[in-house]
Amino acid sequence: MSERMYNILFICTGNAARSIFGEALINQWGAGRYQGFSAGTKPRGEVHPITRQLLREQGFDTATLHNKSWDEFSGPNA
């Protein structure tokens, strides 16, 4: 029997740091069991450079991290 995959959406205001950290952490630590996504209510337009730097320094993959609005996750197929 395969385990169920759970999706987690982290939301903060700018989607530049806090929710990005959540997405990166859950995708690495919960790989195979959890899939993390992040979004902002008022997206800043970019991931904060220090956020990206800190994650890279700790060995997290930052290639797919990007700034996005929570609107991307509001549709029926989100």
Side-chain angles (χ1 to χ4, degrees):
M1 178 167 80
S2 65
E3 290 191 35
R4 181 176 177 189
M5 174 71 83
Y6 293 92
N7 293 322
I8 300 172
L9 177 59
F10 296 93
I11 299 176
C12 69
T13 306
N15 190 226
R18 293 169 296 193
S19 56
I20 295 289
F21 279 121
E23 178 180 353
L25 294 171
I26 204 69
N27 283 337
Q28 184 164 315
W29 294 342
R33 181 84 173 145
Y34 301 98
Q35 184 170 9
F37 302 92
S38 67
T41 57
K42 296 177 185 172
R44 179 181 170 159
E46 65 180 352
V47 174
H48 196 286
I50 293 175
T51 301
R52 199 175 291 278
Q53 176 187 346
L54 288 171
L55 287 168
R56 264 190 253 122
E57 287 174 359
Q58 296 302 313
F60 289 89
D61 180 16
T62 62
T64 61
L65 298 175
H66 64 283
N67 190 261
K68 53 210 161 293
S69 173
W70 64 351
D71 294 338
E72 290 186 32
F73 300 96
S74 65
N77 295 320

